[in-house]
Amino acid sequence: MSDVAIQVRDVTKKYDNRVILDAIGLDVQEAETLVILGGSGSGKSTLLRLMIGNIIPDAGTILSLGKDLCAMTPRQLADYRRSIGVLFQSGALFNSMTVFDNVALPIREHTDVPEETISIMVKIKLELVGLRQHADKMPSELSGGMKKRAGLARALALDPKVLFYDEPSAGLDPVTSAEIDQLIIDLNEKLGVTTVVVTHEMDSAFRIADRMVLLDRGKFIVSGSPDEMRNSKDPLVRQFVHGLTEGPLTDRRRAGGYESDLLAEDI
Amino acid sequence: MADIATGTELVPTARQDGDAVLASIRGEIDLHNSPELRGVLIGPLIASQPKRLVLNLSQVPYMDSSAIAVMVETLQKLRKFGGKLYLTNLQPRVKGLLEIARLDSIFVITADEAEALTK
């Protein structure tokens, strides 16, 4: 049995009294790839932001790599953020720096490694994501997929033990998306990097996941292997996983009081 | 065969064997101690300009890309006088890192020191 890398315990998060996450619990095992599924507004991005220490919960605790994120000083939180890698949807590159300098930045800022070593490290990271030939380009010269890959190279800069991906396939063509997925798989399998992926792209999710959880209206509906999810009889899981046009998700939308809203006489 | 003074915990001993230098590295290598490794590898271990630098990694359960970068830098220096870098007794995670970084063909990887001295 592997150790737990991240423990989320009874976590609640609200925005303006609207409950986004409702007393949820989740364990992420060391070296597993966990995919968090959910539609827009399900709370999955909020959960990611909590796990990377970007925001704190209103209730509950989050232990990551053995540390309580809710009890950290700003300095401890900064140390924690150095031990993880995050690939944001946009890649989040600095537009005024070359791709090379974007990747080198965290190493230069947070370590005493000499520039000769940094130069080789950056080339290795860029080769990993297939961008070594584009090291001298500015972000504005890159396509969306290349920006995402550059963002991944930067997320990898400090050799993180845990990698978080926010919608890694969003906006990518199928081939680039499959390449990113393969990289996620390799990093996990060959280096044992604990991997948490937030996505609603099912093809990608099935390719990379060891385990999947489905978040709906701030609560986890189900957790299982890709096969268990694929074969689930739960109507909501079936609709989400198979992209069905009929089911609880669409029923809920239709029951939103459209008719009474239209026919109300107090216009 | 002669001992080479290294003075570090990471590389406690090294020895010269003909035109080869052999050293065992001990412990995990990451951003914190890779500069120490660099000081040894591109310092005393290649001072005699060996044709073969053989690093036994049997006691290295993990290394990060800064350690790999130090080895690449060492290889750059070795090549200037026709030397090669041999890595032996790799543990799975270290082998995985070399594979994923596509560096397993740049270094000469052997099962043990004996193979490194004959290959």
Side-chain angles (χ1 to χ4, degrees):
Chain A
M1 187 77 184
S2 60
D3 292 329
V4 177
I6 304 170
Q7 288 181 311
V8 177
R9 289 283 176 270
D10 298 320
V11 162
T12 295
K13 183 68 187 172
K14 299 174 187 172
Y15 289 122
D16 300 328
N17 289 327
R18 195 162 60 91
V19 177
I20 308 297
L21 294 172
D22 187 4
I24 61 162
L26 175 71
D27 282 354
V28 184
Q29 305 295 324
E30 259 182 23
E32 82 166 330
T33 297
L34 175 77
V35 172
I36 300 171
L37 298 165
S40 302
S42 61
K44 59 187 192 304
S45 293
T46 299
L47 177 57
L48 183 86
R49 292 180 65 201
L50 285 162
M51 287 194 286
I52 64 177
N54 200 343
I55 53 174
I56 56 168
D58 295 301
T61 57
I62 301 170
L63 288 169
S64 187
L65 301 172
K67 294 163 193 150
D68 183 353
L69 299 192
C70 310
M72 282 184 178
T73 63
R75 191 192 169 104
Q76 287 170 329
L77 207 49
D79 285 344
Y80 168 68
R81 291 199 189 109
R82 279 199 289 276
S83 69
I84 62 172
V86 185
L87 175 62
F88 295 101
Q89 265 194 59
S90 61
L93 301 172
F94 289 102
N95 288 325
S96 58
M97 293 181 188
T98 63
V99 170
F100 182 98
D101 286 334
N102 261 286
V103 180
L105 183 68
I107 315 175
R108 286 176 178 147
E109 283 212 332
H110 300 304
T111 76
D112 297 323
V113 171
E115 198 60 32
E116 295 91 331
T117 309
I118 292 175
S119 172
I120 297 167
M121 286 175 74
V122 172
K123 284 180 188 169
I124 290 172
K125 310 294 179 187
L126 288 175
E127 176 68 17
L128 271 178
V129 300
L131 283 184
R132 190 172 43 82
Q133 318 287 356
H134 304 277
D136 296 329
K137 287 191 175 158
M138 303 301 282
S140 59
E141 298 175 89
L142 303 179
S143 68
M146 289 162 87
K147 279 182 189 164
K148 194 153 278 192
R149 284 188 278 155
L152 180 52
R154 198 180 57 190
L156 292 169
L158 296 171
D159 291 78
K161 291 186 169 59
V162 184
L163 261 171
F164 296 91
Y165 299 83
D166 188 9
E167 302 282 3
S169 307
L172 300 183
D173 66 76
V175 174
T176 308
S177 173
E179 281 176 351
I180 295 276
D181 288 346
Q182 190 56 50
L183 193 52
I184 294 171
I185 293 166
D186 284 347
L187 290 167
N188 172 258
E189 288 184 352
K190 294 186 175 167
L191 305 185
V193 178
T194 304
T195 306
V196 178
V197 182
V198 163
T199 188
H200 60 258
E201 309 257 346
M202 293 313 304
D203 287 347
S204 172
F206 279 122
R207 265 197 296 264
I208 61 181
D210 293 320
R211 188 162 63 94
M212 297 167 152
V213 291
L214 177 58
L215 198 55
D216 180 53
R217 294 196 285 193
K219 282 191 173 293
F220 286 118
I221 302 298
V222 68
S223 162
S225 68
D227 275 346
E228 286 168 338
M229 296 292 274
R230 207 179 269 120
N231 300 319
S232 172
K233 302 283 186 238
D234 183 298
L236 194 147
V237 177
R238 277 178 52 78
Q239 183 175 22
F240 192 89
V241 166
H242 299 290
L244 305 176
T245 54
E246 297 293 331
L249 292 166
T250 38
D251 289 349
R252 193 189 294 161
R253 226 171 279 155
R254 284 176 197 139
Y258 181 47
E259 188 174 317
S260 58
D261 196 17
L262 281 180
L263 299 178
E265 292 186 10
D266 57 344
I267 300 171
Chain B
M1 204 179 293
D3 285 346
I4 298 169
T6 56
T8 69
E9 279 183 27
L10 211 51
V11 192
T13 58
R15 63 187 197 276
Q16 182 93 38
D17 184 354
D19 64 359
V21 166
L22 298 94
S24 291
I25 302 177
R26 287 184 191 166
E28 297 195 350
I29 316 165
D30 59 21
L31 288 158
H32 297 99
N33 57 4
S34 62
E36 178 195 321
L37 179 70
R38 181 175 185 264
V40 179
L41 291 191
I42 66 171
L45 292 201
I46 62 170
S48 65
Q49 301 198 347
K51 292 291 176 217
R52 295 164 196 257
L53 175 59
V54 182
L55 301 179
N56 187 329
L57 303 178
S58 64
Q59 294 176 84
V60 180
Y62 171 78
M63 65 167 68
D64 71 5
S65 63
S66 69
I68 300 284
V70 165
M71 290 181 186
V72 171
E73 201 181 344
T74 306
L75 180 58
Q76 288 171 352
K77 309 244 183 254
L78 280 165
R79 281 187 170 175
K80 287 181 183 161
F81 46 81
K84 286 185 179 175
L85 181 55
Y86 293 74
L87 304 180
T88 77
N89 303 77
L90 269 57
Q91 294 205 28
R93 283 184 78 185
V94 173
K95 194 161 187 287
L97 178 61
L98 289 170
E99 284 172 1
I100 199 170
R102 303 207 302 125
L103 291 171
D104 47 336
S105 58
I106 289 183
F107 305 114
V108 186
I109 294 171
T110 63
D112 51 36
E113 290 180 354
E115 187 187 346
L117 291 174
T118 54
K119 197 166 181 176

